Amino acid sequence: MGKTSTIDKLQAALSRLQEAEDALASLDAARELRELADSIELTQVRAARDQGVAWSKIGKLYGLTKQGAQQRFRQHLEPAPDAG
């Protein structure tokens, strides 16, 4: 059994949203879509930084300053400090 790709998960969540028969099912699908989109966004920010893209350029895409982009993304990209 293969690993489900993010694209497959997005398509499944979109289908659930379209087929939802009540507000709670729609909300759950929308929540999942947002979580997947957040994950994709962080992966792409990490990839951009790994390729040497400056924080100022990332910030510009979001209408932020360099510092604004760092504040928005840096904490999600840095590894957690060791517990020991």
Side-chain angles (χ1 to χ4, degrees):
M1 195 180 269
K3 208 164 96 171
T4 304
S5 75
T6 302
I7 298 299
D8 293 336
K9 290 177 185 176
L10 281 168
Q11 290 173 336
L14 282 169
S15 291
R16 282 194 299 282
L17 181 61
Q18 290 175 327
E19 297 167 6
E21 295 187 14
D22 61 54
L24 191 57
S26 294
L27 180 59
D28 187 44
R31 176 201 51 79
E32 185 176 4
L33 286 165
R34 180 189 44 77
E35 289 174 358
L36 289 164
D38 287 348
S39 175
I40 292 166
E41 182 179 47
L42 290 175
T43 298
Q44 297 310 310
V45 170
R46 182 176 291 112
R49 290 293 299 146
D50 288 348
Q51 293 176 17
V53 176
W55 280 114
S56 59
K57 289 186 177 185
I58 293 170
K60 187 174 181 179
L61 284 173
Y62 288 88
L64 301 169
T65 62
K66 168 186 169 178
Q67 292 81 8
Q70 289 172 328
Q71 288 174 352
R72 180 171 178 173
F73 296 111
R74 184 176 267 167
Q75 68 181 354
H76 300 289
L77 302 179
E78 292 178 349
D82 287 341

